Amino acid sequence: MTLGVDVSSLFMDVVLISQFPDPLAKKMIYHYLSTYAEVNPELSFMAVNTFVRDCDHPDPKVRALALRSLTALKSQLTSPQVKTQIITSLQDKSPQVQTAAVYGCLRIQLVEKHFFEEHGLYDAFYNLIKASHIPLAMAAINALNEAMSEDGGMAVNIKIIAYLLSQLKSFPDHGQAMIVELCLKYTPKDEEEKLRILNNFDSRLRSASPHLVLLIAKLFLTLTADKDSMKGDVLLRLKQPLLTLLTGASSEMKFNIFHHIYELLKIGAADAFRQDYKRFYCDGDDKSYIQDIKLKILSQLVAQNNFDDIFNELSQYLNEVNTRLAQESLIVIGDLGRRFPNRIPAILSLFLTLIKEERTHLFENIIVAVRTMLPCSPEAESTSEARQFFMALHLLSEHVQSEKAKTDLAWVLGRYCFLIEPAPYLLEKFIAMLDDKKPVSEELLHMMVNSALQQFFKRPAETLPVLSRLFSFVFKNEKANCIVAYKCGIYYQLLQKDLPALQDLINSYFRQIPKPAPEKYIFSISRFEKMELIYNLAPESFTKPLNYFL
């Protein structure tokens, strides 16, 4: 059967030998009956009768197996015979059979939404939470959560929470995770209740289960969200368990944990993790997605006291054969220059070294980084490092291909045209490459116009032919670039009637300090320990409804 051979003709013979006493043989027989009963509904009645008969077997393992096989028949799941047997099995003396019956009731509830209510199963399952058999208690919690999912899961109160906390050590890790999720639904009445809940889970932060540790972290953050005085202590308490989980974890699990650490850094955990910044250095065997998240974390952990260490580490990544890591590191370095303007000369010195070594694969990223950081420090433009960099700018311009880098280069040529001797001629090269047949982005074309105007005010004799050629191109392709053409029309009128007003307008444009792009999603504790945090997307964009799997 597992090889794809059709053996349905043996169905009657298998039914006859289903009374074979060996449990292992029964498991194989039940698998056969369930498979072909689903394919051929006419045979499903015989399979149901076989399973129902074995539900009275003296061996509880056989009874549980027969019940699980019975509820696996989707075509017969809502038949009166199946329903009666499942409800009867809830009263079985064996907790193993009761557990199978609970999950069987849940399968019916997912098809018939009023099944629990019609048979009074809600109260019965709440009572089963106190069962001494832990898997049965967990099955009851699961069933209630699924059945009441439209209302946010099972209802909880202080009695249920107190009982489960008293039995916490009896539950396995995934069972403790279920209890944490129930505590997340419960709103404590006072601070004493909050502390009691937190104290019960504090020791479980030493668990080796990432799922449990992350859920407990979410619980700690939730219960202390309105207590700013406890925020620092909670983040410090969560640091060591999260770092411990990284030891020996797979790349996929590390990626998950790193993302949660990064989320904590957004809400002020940088002080807690800063002394362990070396734990986030990139290793040679790290996957690319691990390197990306580590660079984000390192960027958040930089401070004046560790800037040199992290800057030197990022500088080492620029020598990597992995060009992707080098390019991403350079972007981070540019962001550090924006946040620490007093370090811009050292960063520019590094860029000069890269230019001298002809690291052409990094030239575009250097332009982007300079555009990011230089406006944040007007004093930096007068340093010797800045002057040397501007003198070498023509070497970079020869290797700029992407529109983003071209846009940033045009901005640099406009903003610092008085320091860049060949600025008009470098801009002229870009304008000469404009083609009527090739579309140009609105952002790039607008930046070139602003840059040409700024250069015109500083160096009119050299820039006038460049500006004239650029305006001609824009007006000639007015339909393709209507917004830029409209702005150029205004600029042209101001050039004729009010030159000082136009100069003030362009100067104000270049005095603006670029701001980093905002995060797409704002941090929310509800995203913690969920895939939407990893994907940074709404759940609906990568999940399917439950009915899809039924």
Side-chain angles (χ1 to χ4, degrees), residues 88-105:
T88 302
S89 297
L90 285 173
Q91 308 302 323
D92 196 282
K93 295 180 180 179
S94 169
Q96 188 176 0
V97 178
Q98 287 181 295
T99 303
V102 169
Y103 284 119
C105 290

Side-chain angles (χ1 to χ4, degrees), residues 1 6-12 14-15 28-52 66 68-77 79 82:
M1 184 174 66
D6 183 10
V7 289
S8 57
S9 58
L10 302 175
F11 193 88
M12 293 300 299
V14 174
V15 170
M28 297 172 63
I29 292 169
Y30 290 168
H31 176 59
Y32 173 90
L33 295 177
S34 299
T35 300
Y36 285 106
E38 282 296 313
V39 176
N40 190 348
E42 295 179 357
L43 303 176
S44 61
F45 296 103
M46 300 179 64
V48 168
N49 291 333
T50 302
F51 296 146
V52 170
R68 286 197 298 271
S69 301
L70 181 63
T71 56
L73 297 175
K74 296 180 181 179
S75 60
Q76 297 294 323
L77 193 59
S79 66
V82 173

Side-chain angles (χ1 to χ4, degrees), residues 230-343:
M230 298 179 62
K231 181 179 177 181
D233 294 334
V234 169
L235 293 174
L236 189 63
R237 177 67 185 93
L238 298 178
K239 180 192 73 171
Q240 197 55 49
L242 292 174
L243 293 179
T244 302
L245 289 177
L246 294 171
T247 305
S250 64
S251 296
E252 293 77 12
M253 186 54 66
K254 286 181 179 179
F255 183 67
N256 182 16
I257 298 168
F258 281 136
H259 263 284
H260 283 82
I261 292 175
Y262 182 59
E263 287 291 310
L264 291 178
L265 296 179
K266 293 180 183 178
I267 59 170
D271 291 337
F273 286 88
R274 188 161 283 134
Q275 63 180 359
D276 296 287
Y277 64 90
K278 292 184 179 180
R279 294 286 297 269
F280 305 102
Y281 283 175
C282 294
D283 298 326
D285 57 347
D286 280 342
K287 306 291 185 182
S288 60
Y289 51 84
I290 296 291
Q291 293 172 346
D292 289 346
I293 189 63
K294 278 187 173 182
L295 289 176
K296 290 182 179 180
I297 293 174
L298 281 175
S299 177
Q300 294 289 325
L301 295 179
V302 177
Q304 290 290 356
N305 61 343
N306 63 11
F307 182 94
D308 291 334
D309 287 344
I310 296 179
F311 175 67
N312 291 333
E313 180 69 15
L314 293 173
S315 301
Q316 293 299 317
Y317 299 157
L318 303 180
N319 301 320
E320 291 286 338
V321 178
N322 182 354
T323 58
R324 185 177 179 278
L325 175 60
Q327 292 169 349
E328 293 295 328
S329 301
L330 200 55
I331 294 174
V332 174
I333 290 174
D335 185 64
L336 295 184
R338 178 185 61 82
R339 291 162 49 199
F340 300 91
N342 61 316
R343 305 289 185 147

